[in-house]
Amino acid sequence: MDRGFLFGDGIYEVFPVYNNFIFGLDSHLNRLQKGLDTINIQNPHSKDEWVKLINKIILINKDSDNQAIYLQISRGCDEDRKHTHAKLIPTVYIQSSNIRPSSKDHLLNGRAALCRDDIRWSKCNTKATSLLANTMYAQEAKENGAEETILCRNGVITEGSSSNVFIVKNNYIYTHPKGTLILPGITREFIIECAKQCEIQLHEESFSEEELFNADEVWVSSSTREVIPITSINGKQIKDGLVGPVWSLIYDQYQILKTSSDNLL
Ligand code: PDD
């Protein structure tokens, strides 16, 4: 009778953990709070309690090099299956998975992507557990040997099925602005920080499907995959089909940032 199971009525977070250190902890917890506020679930724990719980799971799995902590809060169990609900006690689920983000060597050939219509609802900034459109598109990508499905709403590229999207054109980086059409990725924020540190101009401006296909470079980003270069979309090569120099700089800067204990987010 858990509404997480029956309706996908819940909010989740994924925290990357490097060497037992939670990368972007505050940003992830803040986004979790916003999601819970949006769907009106009371946060069952204080920040300190979350940190204790997450660290407990990290410790149990401390032999894994890097972990992704998945945390889900559903509205809880009701007496019957119905769309409306009484005031319930939220259910908390936490798990750790081993993550091994691809090394630079492995990424140097680039990855393929698909581009499809963004058919999702219009609260994409909420990290809700109901992810049908996302999982269908992720599966389609997998079945086509692609890394990701990039989504396009009314001719504008929003994000990936489980990632944010960046393009490079004439040495400027572009990514869709925050708002209701994308999830405000924490990795996206770190990449913005990396671009500043590398003194490369980054514009939080939307770009069209045509601009995606005509870009010099395309990347996707997420907490578990970091920054992945995309060199073909729907079977069409991006520029010369090679991984780009701006990606290489940002990738290196991201590796520095993720292991520095004083990261800013
Ligand atoms: N997904 N956009 C969507 C739709 C996502 O699902 C994700 C992450 C991102 C990137 O967000 P972040 O940089 O904070 O991971 C963007 C996670 C990893 C998941 O669903 O497992």
Side-chain angles (χ1 to χ4, degrees):
M1 284 299 141
D2 194 292
R3 289 180 62 90
F5 176 68
L6 291 170
F7 291 104
D9 187 356
I11 297 293
Y12 76 105
E13 260 308 322
V14 179
F15 302 75
V17 175
Y18 299 110
N19 304 321
N20 300 327
F21 172 76
I22 310 165
F23 187 42
L25 170 72
D26 284 354
S27 304
H28 283 278
L29 284 177
N30 289 342
R31 186 171 66 186
L32 178 68
Q33 184 63 58
K34 280 194 188 136
L36 292 170
D37 291 345
T38 302
I39 68 165
N40 206 15
I41 293 180
Q42 196 164 359
N43 194 336
H45 295 298
S46 66
K47 186 188 162 191
D48 284 356
E49 287 166 348
W50 281 124
V51 173
K52 271 193 200 127
L53 278 171
I54 296 168
N55 277 316
K56 195 170 158 188
I57 307 287
I58 292 173
L59 220 64
I60 295 170
N61 296 289
K62 67 177 184 314
D63 292 338
S64 309
D65 288 345
N66 303 315
Q67 304 178 39
I69 303 297
Y70 174 84
L71 184 162
Q72 172 177 326
I73 302 159
S74 80
R75 195 174 302 279
C77 294
D78 214 341
E79 283 171 0
D80 198 3
R81 186 262 174 205
K82 56 188 185 319
H83 284 63
T84 57
H85 55 83
K87 189 156 175 42
L88 306 173
I89 301 166
T91 305
V92 173
Y93 171 81
I94 311 183
Q95 70 164 66
S96 164
S97 317
N98 208 351
I99 44 166
R100 234 179 249 115
S102 304
S103 67
K104 196 168 188 184
D105 275 359
H106 274 102
L107 293 171
L108 285 175
N109 288 331
R111 299 277 166 83
L114 304 177
C115 185
R116 296 285 184 265
D117 269 354
D118 192 342
I119 55 167
R120 299 171 304 159
W121 69 335
S122 53
K123 282 188 199 279
C124 297
N125 50 337
T126 303
K127 207 162 168 62
T129 55
S130 31
L131 285 170
L132 257 188
N134 305 64
T135 55
M136 284 168 69
Y137 279 142
Q139 185 63 20
E140 189 184 353
K142 184 183 172 196
E143 285 169 6
N144 284 278
E147 174 70 34
E148 179 59 300
T149 299
I150 293 173
L151 306 175
C152 181
R153 199 186 282 260
N154 303 324
V156 168
I157 299 301
T158 51
E159 60 179 340
S161 73
S162 65
S163 61
N164 290 113
V165 178
F166 295 78
I167 61 166
V168 178
K169 190 70 185 177
N170 301 327
N171 293 316
Y172 293 143
I173 308 171
Y174 298 87
T175 193
H176 195 287
K178 287 198 270 195
T180 55
L181 298 183
I182 66 160
L183 184 81
I186 311 303
T187 318
R188 176 185 176 280
E189 289 303 320
F190 280 125
I191 290 172
I192 293 173
E193 185 55 35
C194 289
K196 269 191 207 139
Q197 290 172 357
C198 294
E199 296 183 359
I200 304 167
Q201 274 200 45
L202 183 150
H203 300 283
E204 292 180 72
E205 275 171 29
S206 60
F207 49 89
S208 66
E209 185 175 7
E210 197 186 339
E211 286 169 309
L212 173 80
F213 279 97
N214 291 322
D216 298 333
E217 299 182 25
V218 177
W219 329 322
V220 297
S221 74
S222 84
S223 293
T224 45
R225 291 184 287 178
E226 302 184 346
V227 201
I228 306 242
I230 301 296
T231 48
S232 78
I233 304 174
N234 291 353
K236 292 186 197 110
Q237 193 174 285
I238 299 301
K239 207 170 177 205
D240 49 12
L242 300 174
V243 162
V246 184
W247 168 77
S248 177
L249 286 172
I250 296 291
Y251 178 93
D252 291 344
Q253 195 62 30
Y254 191 86
Q255 300 309 308
I256 295 169
L257 201 65
K258 82 178 197 192
T259 46
S260 70
S261 52
D262 57 355
N263 69 71
L264 303 166
L265 297 172

